Amino acid sequence: MTTARSIGALALTLALAASTAAAQFPTTPPPAAPLKPTKLPPLHETTLPNGVRLVVVESHKLPVIALTLGMRAGDFTDPAGKEGLAQLTATLLGKGAGSRTAEQVSAAIEGAGGSLGAGTSADALTVNASALSDKAALAFELLGDAVARPTFDQKEVDLAKTQTLSSLQLQNSQPSTVAQRVFNRELYGTTAYAKSATPASVGAITRDDILGFYASRVKPRGAVLVVSGDIDLPTATRLANAALKGWTGAPAAVPALGAPRKRTKTEIVLVHRPSSVQANVIVGAPTFAGTDPRTYALLVANRVLGGGSASRLFRILREEKSWTYGSYSSFSWNRGVGAFGATVEARNAVVDSALVELLAQLRRLRTEPIPATEFAGARDAIVGSFPLAVETAQQLGGTIARARLLGFPADYVSMYRTRVAAITPARAQAVAKQVIDPDAALVVVVGDATVLRDRLAKIAPVRVVRPDGQPVAESDLAGPKAGSGIDVSKLVAAHDSFAVLVQGNPFGSSVRTVEKTADGVRISERSVLGPIMSQNTDVVIGTDGAMKSVAQRGTVQGMETKIDAAYAGGRVKGAATTVSQAGPRSVSYDTTVVAGTIDDNAVTTVIPTLAWSLNATFTLPVFASGEGVARTVTLKVTGKQSVTVPAGTFDAYLVEMSGGPVPVNIYVTTAAPYRVVKTAPVGPPIELVLVK
Amino acid sequence: MARSIRTRSAPSLLRPLVAALLAALPATALPAQKPARLPLDNYTLPNGLQVILAEDHTAPVVAVDVTYHVGSRDESPGRTGFAHLFEHMMFQGSAHVKKGEHMAMLEAAGSAGYNGSTIEDRTNYYEPLPSNRLNLGLWLEADRMRSLAVTDENFSNQREAVKEERRLRVDNQPYTKILYEEGYKAIDSAGCYPYSHSIIGSMDDLNAATTADVQQFFKLYYAPNNATLVVTGDFQPAEAKKLIAQYFGDIPRAPTPPAVSCQPRYDAGARRERVQDTKATLPAVMKYYTIPAYDSPDYPALELLGTIVGRGASSRLNRSLAREQKVALTSQTFVNLFGPRRGPGAFVVFAIANKGIAIDTVEARLDDQIAKLAGGITDEELARAKSSWRASAIRERSQAVTLAAAIQRANLFLGDPNSLDADFDRYAAVTADDVKRVAAKYLHPENSYTFIDSAEAK
């Protein structure tokens, strides 16, 4: 029943409800208040007498300070063959400087509640220090000693090299690092930004190289020192001048950066990582210098595509498709040409789908106009979040240091938001079109090639490589299978004498003769090891490179040994008696072997027939005729060095042979015809050195 | 700056005595630099939601941090990985926020570095924002606390994302199999299941989780009376309080979640295990020693011990194993890998062998260093560790979002957000004898679990 009175009561109730509604939970997001201006702490600048530009970001909120000293001496300045030199020099700056040893430096800075470190990027070498502000003078002094008075003690050089080599090995276990490294090398080709350290290039660096690099590149002119935190300009200037006293001069001219070639079609470089359960994917292309005016437009386009968790890649590949934990895109800001890259990590079963979708999203950015709301969201994200990027004095100091080293003008920080806010959807798309092209992209995939290769090949041509960039042999992708035998044409007649050294003392000899006969090659080896052992071995290889026979007669500590093995028609038949620590042991066998199998007594004979180079790896199917077992032996070049033996001094590759009973280091001349100049098992103090 | 420095002066009669004492003390005992006292406004809404405000107008930014007092320790057998899986669900939308909109709204508002994280004891959600969008951060947190969208579709999607996360962090990385998973075995599971299983959970348990489980979990643990809201940075307190009351005030409270039971032991015996790792290229050794909860009086000494033994270039492990003996590429300590705990934790000593060095050699040298602690530590080492601790405690106040996390830590693990200030005195009071004592008490073989990572990758 509706009466005038009840209507009045209802109206009153409604009015009350309306008035309390203001205090209830709103069903739509609350509106934004006006954005506040970025509030920056005072910035002060001056140039020190030695040419260092000093910038002070003054903030007394907390009793801490941070220092960053940077100069244009990044990895791009590494000399060819000595990649890793800039990084190694940086690492050593604080490892013994002024009157302090490395131990004293680290104890001093950590006692001040801080740290001291140095490193390199593609463009710059930077030294960083931090401390509680009542220890500001000490932080300046340690940073000054590091750049102006490093000692580069030989012991520290050796340690840093050892640790760098182990780090390179460790990096090989981290798929994202491998992906980034291969991407860089493939993208930048032969230009300066392609440089990356390898075991061989680090191994080749000497203390003199480091002294030379330091003397020519670690110089104050053109360097920037940014000091942030609880300090003022006069104090910073006084402390910097005192700390950098005696550090003067200008750096040598830097090498040209060059521009990488643009691809004309998409190629997939598949880095084989056996047993990977997931694959890391990077799709990218070269861009332009960081200071290029197009940078701001690319920033917004990238945000639309993959710059955040609200961007297309994350939304589609993770939130819609459940293919990945994360998919993003970004681009590097370099002094020279930068790189754009979109990434996804996906389980093996969906890698191909994820890549196809990622490429489709790159295409969509080129072909479809960016919807207005989506564009505004991307642009506002960058403009709005800027205060968070420079919230602390240390963050602002870091931003300024990076901008100065990249060559940005002084108004970079103050104008950043204005420049981003000025970008239009059309401009963002136009720049994206210049850079991002799914039909001319570099795709790097790190994963198990035995699982992924055929599926990826349906998307674009695939090249399978190892983490170091070298091609992968077919045999590695299908497990050990047929080898190709021995290239007999590369076996030349020779007569080599070796001395056997035990703990450096001559203990015996070994003479090897290679002679060509009508039906192939005969290799004879006569070895005598003091009174302990003597052994004659004859190996015959056919003209087609296939093993024919092995015959060995000898005595070991008075006990007779012998091997007789015949290879034919994919089988080996034979018998052997050998002596081990447990006493004599006899075996007989008649078994199949894969084509191209080499008898283990002939492995060193094969060496001259292989195509040696730095980073070369060969995998050989081997039959140990003394034990009657098949093995897979790997010969891997791990470095290059000068080796002195009685026959002379040779430039030689260090080849690590593994897969046999003990690992063996073999030194092979770098020039053809390749000769073995020294052989040493890892562990026992025994060496075979070439006499003539 | 809103903060004022309040100094308490000693009564006048005592002043000469204080001055004399100060003069008599060596220079190192002078009061160490510490930040200004942090004024906090700590109150509780009628529905049980604890609110802590810390105002600071240095930069035009704010941070919102909602910490739910639930983590992997609340999981039961067969349900491992659930707390973390649930964290993912919190980004999937709620009554007034469609799927995908949560992140889109935050990013368009200029939030950067927003996220959630799950550890043994808590799950937190935080968003740094430009200060004009505090209202959005609070609104989004309130909407998901009151009305999370738990649908089959969202759930199966996030379960897949978590499985990818597991592959990314654990199954496809070197060493993480031990750090993320096997290492939990060091805590005796018979007496303390809550801290003896991993946060990331097993694939089987993740597969077995159902949408109904998720709904149940939400009802039980994601209630205002099981959470703390911290707001830091550039806001006006009256306005913030009004918004908080309006957005969170009428969310109903839930029954108190079941208590967690744990009887830690520190003498479970010397255990060891070899873990096959097809992703590692260099072998490693990790030794786990069980240690007490964060609020234990022994904890500050243990944390300083961790620094002295294995954090920083001047630490004992770096000086001996990496530099002098050259057996380790890196060697360091972790005192609880993912953060503090309200139950037993792990003091982890970790070393990766240098290329060509046998892992047995590395382990022997590591044991030498642990044994040497019986001889005590030097005053210089202690002073250095305290400086490092102090500097990091100061630095975590430099950003609104890290300050918010620090307040939550003090509040949850020490039971009082003001203990953030009091900690400066707690750590300053640790003596060299304290450090020697805790080393002897916890770092002994009968309280250890050794893992050898086999490094099988080529």
Side-chain angles (χ1 to χ4, degrees):
Chain A
M1 189 176 65
T2 305
T3 64
R5 201 179 144 203
S6 63
I7 289 171
L10 184 64
L12 186 65
T13 312
L14 285 172
L16 274 174
S19 73
T20 53
Q24 278 175 359
F25 187 73
T27 55
T28 53
L35 196 61
K36 289 190 184 178
T38 312
K39 200 160 124 192
L40 298 177
L43 297 182
H44 315 283
E45 282 198 61
T46 187
T47 302
L48 303 180
N50 62 3
V52 171
R53 187 74 178 156
L54 172 67
V55 183
V56 175
V57 182
E58 185 178 351
S59 164
H60 302 286
K61 180 182 170 184
L62 294 168
V64 286
I65 59 156
L67 290 76
T68 298
L69 175 64
M71 62 209 82
R72 255 195 105 192
D75 301 333
F76 83 102
T77 61
D78 282 341
K82 307 267 183 183
E83 291 82 4
L85 179 57
Q87 173 67 51
L88 202 57
T89 306
T91 303
L92 286 162
L93 287 177
K95 300 284 191 304
S99 60
R100 292 182 179 90
T101 63
E103 264 76 23
Q104 289 165 335
V105 170
S106 61
I109 193 69
E110 286 169 11
S115 62
L116 175 76
T120 51
S121 63
D123 282 307
L125 184 157
T126 49
V127 188
N128 297 289
S130 63
L132 289 160
S133 54
D134 61 354
K135 301 281 171 40
L138 179 62
F140 274 88
E141 181 186 328
L142 292 167
L143 179 108
D145 281 350
V147 292
R149 287 166 291 278
T151 43
F152 296 121
D153 195 64
Q154 183 66 51
K155 172 172 108 308
E156 295 294 338
V157 173
D158 293 343
L159 178 61
K161 278 179 70 173
T162 304
Q163 293 192 325
T164 305
L165 290 169
S166 287
S167 297
L168 288 171
Q169 178 148 351
L170 184 69
Q171 284 168 16
N172 279 341
S173 68
Q174 291 156 339
S176 57
T177 314
V178 171
Q180 196 58 54
R181 195 175 58 201
V182 173
F183 178 79
N184 248 25
R185 200 164 42 212
E186 293 284 339
L187 189 91
Y188 285 110
T190 55
T191 63
Y193 285 148
K195 291 173 183 172
S196 80
T198 65
S201 70
V202 171
I205 296 171
T206 64
R207 180 172 184 265
D208 282 347
D209 292 326
I210 292 163
L211 290 174
F213 184 92
Y214 171 76
S216 66
R217 304 223 172 269
V218 182
K219 289 288 175 192
R221 197 154 304 275
V224 58
L225 171 61
V226 180
V227 182
S228 53
D230 184 19
I231 194 165
D232 58 22
L233 180 67
T235 311
T237 309
R238 179 172 53 77
L239 293 176
N241 278 327
L244 301 177
K245 198 164 187 294
W247 191 47
T248 55
V254 293
L257 290 169
R261 74 181 172 90
K262 293 240 177 197
R263 272 157 211 274
T264 51
K265 59 181 176 39
T266 295
E267 183 195 21
I268 299 173
V269 178
L270 174 55
V271 185
H272 184 37
R273 185 171 187 260
S275 80
S276 233
V277 296
Q278 201 181 41
N280 292 54
V281 179
I282 307 181
V283 179
T287 54
F288 34 69
T291 51
D292 189 295
R294 292 173 290 177
T295 284
Y296 298 95
L298 187 55
L299 205 54
V300 184
N302 176 66
R303 187 76 185 201
V304 170
L305 177 72
S309 303
S311 304
R312 291 175 180 178
L313 294 179
F314 190 93
R315 252 170 29 222
I316 295 166
L317 274 78
R318 167 166 153 162
E319 300 294 309
E320 282 176 23
K321 308 285 191 186
S322 309
W323 285 336
T324 181
Y325 178 63
S327 178
Y328 299 95
S329 64
S330 62
F331 61 101
S332 57
W333 295 31
N334 288 349
R335 186 124 183 163
V337 174
F340 164 83
T343 64
V344 61
E345 299 89 36
R347 60 188 178 276
N348 288 341
V350 299
V351 174
D352 48 352
S353 309
L355 176 57
V356 167
E357 183 61 43
L358 201 155
L359 292 168
Q361 291 304 324
L362 299 187
R363 191 178 317 281
R364 181 176 155 214
L365 194 62
R366 294 167 62 86
T367 53
E368 279 179 29
I370 305 168
T373 342
E374 193 184 12
F375 179 82
R379 186 197 53 205
D380 294 352
I382 302 169
V383 173
S385 63
F386 189 62
L388 291 165
V390 293
E391 181 183 354
T392 70
Q394 282 70 31
Q395 286 174 306
L396 178 58
T399 303
I400 291 171
R402 275 191 301 279
R404 294 295 167 92
L405 289 166
L406 286 170
F408 277 98
D411 68 357
Y412 167 75
V413 169
S414 60
M415 288 301 290
Y416 181 85
R417 285 170 126 186
T418 311
R419 287 179 175 132
V420 174
I423 301 300
T424 62
R427 171 79 178 142
Q429 191 176 26
V431 171
K433 248 177 152 162
Q434 291 169 17
V435 170
I436 302 168
D437 183 354
D439 297 319
L442 166 64
V443 181
V444 170
V445 180
V446 178
D448 191 331
T450 60
V451 180
L452 301 176
R453 180 173 56 165
D454 294 347
R455 279 188 278 157
L456 294 175
K458 291 175 186 150
I459 303 169
V462 175
R463 175 158 52 93
V464 186
V465 301
R466 298 186 320 201
D468 62 8
Q470 296 299 309
V472 168
E474 273 306 310
S475 57
D476 284 356
L477 295 180
K481 63 173 187 191
S484 53
I486 299 168
D487 184 354
V488 183
S489 68
K490 295 223 174 76
L491 275 179
V492 291
H495 183 78
D496 290 338
S497 299
F498 293 86
V500 180
L501 307 180
V502 175
Q503 287 179 332
N505 300 313
F507 207 72
S509 66
S510 180
V511 179
R512 185 183 304 146
T513 309
V514 178
E515 50 183 331
K516 293 225 169 185
T517 62
D519 52 353
V521 179
R522 172 182 295 271
I523 300 116
S524 312
E525 198 171 79
R526 312 262 170 271
S527 303
V528 179
L529 198 58
I532 298 170
M533 185 201 95
S534 77
Q535 188 171 281
N536 296 343
T537 312
D538 291 302
V539 174
V540 179
I541 298 166
T543 45
D544 59 352
M547 292 296 309
K548 292 185 93 166
S549 66
V550 174
Q552 190 181 78
R553 297 288 177 272
T555 57
V556 173
Q557 292 186 323
M559 290 176 276
E560 289 199 358
T561 64
K562 69 172 189 175
I563 300 174
D564 287 295
Y567 291 80
R571 296 186 78 82
V572 57
K573 188 176 175 182
T577 302
T578 53
V579 173
S580 70
Q581 280 167 333
R585 185 170 161 266
S586 295
V587 290
S588 63
Y589 40 83
D590 180 0
T591 182
T592 53
V593 286
V594 297
T597 291
I598 296 159
D599 192 277
D600 69 341
N601 290 289
V603 170
T604 44
T605 307
V606 174
I607 283 172
T609 70
L610 300 171
W612 293 100
S613 68
L614 264 181
N615 301 320
T617 297
F618 303 101
T619 305
L620 308 173
V622 162
F623 186 76
S625 53
E627 302 159 70
V629 294
R631 293 202 170 101
T632 301
V633 163
T634 303
L635 298 163
K636 181 174 167 51
V637 176
T638 58
K640 192 172 133 173
Q641 53 186 266
S642 178
V643 177
T644 301
V645 292
T649 296
F650 299 88
D651 279 335
Y653 293 122
L654 167 57
V655 179
E656 289 182 5
M657 181 168 93
S658 57
V662 287
V664 179
N665 288 335
I666 303 171
Y667 296 81
V668 181
T669 55
T670 56
Y674 303 111
R675 295 173 79 191
V676 174
V677 293
K678 182 165 128 180
T679 307
V682 176
I686 303 171
E687 291 177 342
L688 265 77
V689 293
L690 184 67
V691 176
K692 61 172 187 166
Chain B
M1 287 259 303
R3 278 182 209 155
S4 57
I5 301 171
R6 296 178 207 173
T7 47
R8 274 168 288 179
S9 51
S12 59
L13 270 177
L14 286 176
R15 268 187 208 143
L17 180 62
V18 172
L21 274 173
L22 282 178
L25 288 169
T28 50
L30 279 173
Q33 263 187 316
K34 59 182 184 183
R37 201 181 77 83
L38 190 70
L40 299 174
D41 190 349
N42 179 7
Y43 63 100
T44 304
L45 297 184
N47 62 4
L49 177 70
Q50 185 190 13
V51 180
I52 306 170
L53 306 177
E55 184 190 354
D56 172 6
H57 301 282
T58 310
V61 306
V62 289
V64 174
D65 180 322
V66 178
T67 293
Y68 293 90
H69 304 172
V70 56
S72 60
R73 72 178 208 145
D74 297 287
E75 295 161 351
S76 42
R79 289 281 180 275
T80 65
F82 211 82
H84 170 245
L85 175 56
F86 191 85
E87 173 213 317
H88 280 246
M89 293 300 295
M90 287 286 278
F91 293 88
Q92 294 304 304
S94 42
H96 306 105
V97 181
K98 289 207 263 314
K99 183 175 163 67
E101 277 188 1
H102 185 95
M103 294 184 264
M105 284 183 197
L106 281 175
E107 294 199 7
S111 182
Y114 64 87
N115 212 336
S117 78
T118 307
I119 62 173
E120 294 87 357
D121 282 71
R122 58 105 188 107
T123 312
N124 68 356
Y125 302 87
Y126 50 90
E127 35 279 329
L129 287 151
S131 53
N132 67 321
R133 293 320 314 264
L134 170 65
N135 57 3
L136 179 70
L138 291 171
W139 185 83
L140 285 168
E141 288 300 350
D143 201 51
R144 60 183 172 179
M145 189 188 285
R146 64 172 59 228
S147 60
L148 189 70
V150 182
T151 65
D152 285 335
E153 190 199 347
N154 285 350
F155 179 62
S156 60
N157 167 260
Q158 285 312 302
R159 187 166 56 190
E160 290 312 308
V162 168
K163 283 156 73 177
E164 282 305 322
E165 183 178 1
R166 199 199 133 88
R167 290 185 187 101
L168 177 76
R169 292 197 201 279
V170 183
D171 301 332
N172 209 34
Q173 299 291 336
Y175 314 119
T176 49
K177 177 87 178 145
I178 296 170
L179 295 175
Y180 277 78
E181 202 153 48
E182 302 289 336
Y184 283 90
K185 288 182 187 166
I187 307 281
D188 173 53
S189 73
C192 186
Y193 180 77
Y195 290 97
S196 69
H197 68 273
S198 75
I199 300 169
I200 193 91
S202 78
M203 278 286 191
D204 286 345
D205 290 356
L206 291 174
N207 282 326
T210 68
T211 312
D213 292 334
V214 178
Q215 279 155 342
Q216 186 54 34
F217 197 85
F218 180 67
K219 274 193 201 138
L220 191 56
Y221 293 108
Y222 277 69
N225 51 307
N226 199 38
T228 301
L229 164 66
V230 171
V231 180
T232 52
D234 178 30
F235 60 86
Q236 297 305 325
E239 194 194 330
K241 285 182 176 181
K242 198 178 120 215
L243 287 175
I244 290 165
Q246 183 193 352
Y247 293 174
F248 291 90
D250 63 348
I251 304 175
R253 90 170 37 234
T256 307
V260 162
S261 126
C262 169
Q263 278 81 46
R265 55 184 293 192
Y266 306 98
D267 58 353
R271 294 146 294 166
R272 63 186 295 125
E273 185 173 337
R274 193 178 177 84
V275 175
Q276 293 193 317
D277 187 347
T278 58
K279 302 295 175 291
T281 48
L282 293 168
V285 53
M286 293 168 223
K287 283 186 182 277
Y288 279 66
Y289 299 94
T290 303
I291 56 169
Y294 190 69
D295 64 357
S296 155
D298 287 346
Y299 203 89
L302 278 164
E303 220 171 339
L304 296 173
L305 173 67
T307 304
I308 291 165
V309 174
R311 280 178 51 194
S314 66
S315 68
R316 290 185 170 198
L317 290 181
N318 187 55
R319 291 173 74 144
S320 57
L321 271 70
R323 293 180 49 79
E324 284 158 26
Q325 300 153 3
K326 301 178 179 54
V327 295
L329 169 61
T330 150
S331 52
Q332 62 192 106
T333 53
F334 303 110
V335 180
N336 284 332
L337 205 52
F338 302 107
R341 301 184 191 181
R342 284 173 290 172
F347 187 108
V348 185
V349 190
F350 173 31
I352 298 178
N354 249 333
K355 199 177 167 185
I357 303 290
I359 195 62
D360 297 353
T361 309
V362 181
E363 187 186 357
R365 298 290 83 78
L366 207 68
D367 286 340
D368 292 347
Q369 289 304 315
I370 300 298
K372 260 183 83 174
L373 291 169
I377 57 156
T378 66
D379 288 340
E380 197 209 336
E381 284 179 308
L382 181 63
R384 216 158 52 214
K386 285 183 179 178
S387 285
S388 291
W389 181 87
R390 210 168 59 242
S392 67
I394 289 170
R395 287 196 189 95
E396 75 180 350
R397 298 184 174 202
S398 64
Q399 282 178 278
V401 71
T402 52
L403 173 63
I407 292 169
Q408 292 279 20
R409 184 188 66 226
N411 184 56
L412 179 62
F413 295 99
L414 298 174
D416 175 7
N418 291 304
S419 55
L420 201 56
D421 277 332
D423 255 5
F424 281 91
D425 300 325
R426 195 163 80 115
Y427 277 78
V430 173
T431 65
D433 278 347
D434 291 334
V435 175
K436 183 179 167 182
R437 180 180 54 78
V438 298
K441 189 169 169 188
Y442 300 106
L443 270 52
H444 61 83
E446 290 304 302
N447 184 35
S448 74
Y449 203 127
T450 304
F451 295 94
I452 302 292
D453 186 300
S454 65
E456 290 167 359
K458 294 289 172 283

